[in-house]
Amino acid sequence: MRALIQRLAAEASDVAQGVQGVDAGPGQPWSTVLVVGAGGCSEWGLLRRLQAQRLVLVEPQQRLADDLLRLTRGDPRAEVWPLALVPQGDEATLLLLNMARESGTAAPAVLSVHYPRAGVAQRLTVPARPIEQAIQSLTLDSEQRHLLVLDAPGQALGLLQAAPAPLLQAFETVIVRMGVEALYESDTDAQAVSAYLKSVGFDAREEDPEAIFPHTAWRYERNEQHVRLLQFQADAAQAQADLQEARDRIAAHEQQLAQAQAALARQTEAVKKLESLQLELTEVQQALISERDALAAQRDGLETEKSQLIAQRDALAAEKAALTDERNGLIAQRDGLAKEKSDLIAARDGLANEKNQLVGQRDGLAKEKADLIAAR
């Protein structure tokens, strides 16, 4: 990548010196340079020559990050991020290889064929940050020039794809160091990286002539017309999606309206039934009121009849009491007459006995008389 950065530094120097015929783009000079995988920053001198207003160096190896901090001390434009940029997550496992520059978060695969000694010497857990958040935090001005330098072994395509296209398109130039073939697990070759960058509006401008096989490095430049076309297509797709969403909402509203109308029809029918029931209820209420009034009249008549019957009952009770008294008097009279009858019967029986005695005496006297007559 050194030759590619040197070319950009030379262009920046020519622009600063006012060399004619040098086109440094619409937003001279460089505003922000983001270097992912800065290492010990052997290109520090070249990066400074870019004369960027802001230079962000990302390096997950703490020892190298400390070296960068010492190297950039006193330069207000430079800042060091001691972390790994990843597709997502806040931690990453850093694989330190025997070949320090080839270290990263991806495990070596075909790389070991080219470099048999490139084994994993140490595994470290390091802080990480999603690349999308990292680029967003830079708040890149679309009117200025920005450069992305990406040296993340085995992670180039994964990181590029994790950053939404509009964020990548904020960079005017992208330099990527990668394998000519897939050198790491889940890695891709340079052709796949170039194809992806092409799909988001970047044209391959030049290859690093100093790159050592099986690695390569390419400089990609943003194709403004292609980016505008992609943005137009994205806007059109978004508009189409919005239109479809609007249609779906309209269809949903129409369905809701139809359901509401059906519900309203049901409610109207229910209201009609309710009104009919209310009318029937009113008629029933009137009938019940009439029946109530009739029953009240009957009740009043019955109350009057009851009062009359009570009066009759009271009169009958009084009459009964009088008759009871009379009966008691008659019973007393009967009892007296019965006693008198008993007495008379007893007297009659006494008189009958007395009569029988007298008859006996008369018969005795008559016999005695007869005897006397006979004796005489």
Side-chain angles (χ1 to χ4, degrees):
M1 289 195 302
R2 180 179 180 84
L4 300 179
I5 297 174
Q6 189 172 16
R7 179 71 60 84
L8 292 178
E11 291 176 359
S13 178
D14 291 341
V15 169
Q17 296 175 13
V19 177
Q20 294 183 355
V22 175
D23 181 11
Q28 314 168 8
W30 292 105
S31 175
T32 299
V33 174
L34 173 62
V35 181
V36 180
C41 208
S42 57
E43 288 83 18
W44 169 241
L46 293 177
L47 290 173
R48 291 186 63 184
R49 286 175 54 193
L50 293 174
Q51 303 181 36
Q53 298 173 14
R54 184 182 186 187
L55 179 58
V56 180
L57 305 175
V58 182
E59 175 50 51
Q61 296 187 55
Q62 188 60 55
R63 177 181 59 80
L64 298 179
D66 292 340
D67 291 342
L68 289 174
L69 287 170
R70 286 190 294 271
L71 186 64
T72 60
R73 185 178 293 118
D75 191 334
R77 299 171 304 170
E79 53 190 276
V80 178
W81 292 0
L83 49 80
L85 292 190
V86 293
Q88 58 182 0
D90 55 10
E91 281 187 347
T93 299
L94 181 64
L95 305 179
L96 298 181
L97 307 186
N98 294 324
M99 299 177 63
R101 187 174 185 183
E102 308 308 327
S103 300
T105 59
V110 177
L111 180 71
S112 300
V113 175
H114 297 282
Y115 301 107
R117 299 180 61 185
V120 177
Q122 188 177 6
R123 297 174 182 266
L124 298 176
T125 299
V126 296
R129 188 176 187 184
I131 188 170
E132 179 180 358
Q133 293 182 9
I135 296 176
Q136 285 176 338
S137 70
L138 298 176
T139 60
L140 303 178
D141 187 345
S142 60
E143 300 299 323
Q144 296 183 355
R145 303 177 67 208
H146 310 290
L147 168 64
L148 171 62
V149 179
L150 183 58
D151 186 3
Q155 289 290 94
L157 185 60
L159 289 175
L160 291 171
Q161 290 177 332
L167 289 181
L168 284 181
Q169 291 162 356
F171 293 100
E172 177 182 311
T173 302
V174 175
I175 295 177
V176 183
R177 180 176 180 267
M178 54 203 156
V180 174
E181 57 183 328
L183 301 176
Y184 296 81
E185 294 180 4
S186 303
D187 193 10
T188 57
D189 57 19
Q191 187 175 359
V193 173
S194 295
Y196 177 73
L197 285 172
K198 180 70 175 179
S199 72
V200 294
F202 288 86
D203 294 336
R205 177 64 60 87
E206 62 176 323
E207 184 179 13
D208 185 355
E210 298 177 358
I212 300 175
F213 185 85
H215 292 89
T216 184
W218 275 88
R219 169 186 171 186
Y220 301 90
E221 296 291 336
R222 184 178 61 211
N223 185 323
E224 297 294 345
Q225 292 182 347
H226 190 188
V227 168
R228 284 195 294 270
L229 175 60
L230 291 173
Q231 290 174 345
F232 174 79
Q233 291 174 341
D235 292 341
Q238 184 61 48
Q240 185 66 28
D242 293 341
L243 177 60
Q244 185 59 45
E245 183 180 357
R247 288 174 177 169
D248 293 341
R249 286 200 301 268
I250 290 173
H253 289 326
E254 289 177 347
Q255 184 178 4
Q256 292 175 356
L257 178 60
Q259 293 174 349
Q261 289 175 338
L264 179 60
R266 291 193 298 269
Q267 290 177 354
T268 301
E269 186 65 23
V271 168
K272 290 181 180 178
K273 291 182 179 180
L274 180 60
E275 290 175 347
S276 177
L277 291 173
Q278 286 178 337
L279 181 60
E280 292 180 8
L281 179 61
T282 300
E283 293 175 352
V284 170
Q285 287 177 336
Q286 292 298 327
L288 290 174
I289 290 172
S290 299
E291 185 177 355
R292 182 199 64 187
D293 294 341
L295 291 173
Q298 290 179 4
R299 182 198 63 193
D300 294 340
L302 290 173
E303 288 291 337
T304 301
E305 185 176 354
K306 175 184 175 182
S307 298
Q308 293 173 352
L309 290 172
I310 290 173
Q312 290 178 3
R313 184 199 66 188
D314 293 341
L316 289 173
E319 185 177 355
K320 176 184 177 183
L323 290 172
T324 300
D325 292 341
E326 185 178 356
R327 186 195 67 178
N328 292 335
L330 290 173
I331 290 172
Q333 290 179 5
R334 183 197 66 186
D335 293 341
L337 290 174
K339 186 176 183 303
E340 186 177 352
K341 176 182 177 181
S342 297
D343 292 342
L344 289 174
I345 290 171
R348 183 196 68 185
D349 293 339
L351 288 175
N353 291 330
E354 186 176 352
K355 175 182 176 181
N356 291 330
Q357 290 176 359
L358 288 176
V359 169
Q361 289 178 1
R362 185 195 67 185
D363 293 338
L365 288 176
K367 182 181 180 197
E368 187 177 333
K369 178 180 176 181
D371 290 339
L372 286 177
I373 291 173
R376 186 181 54 180

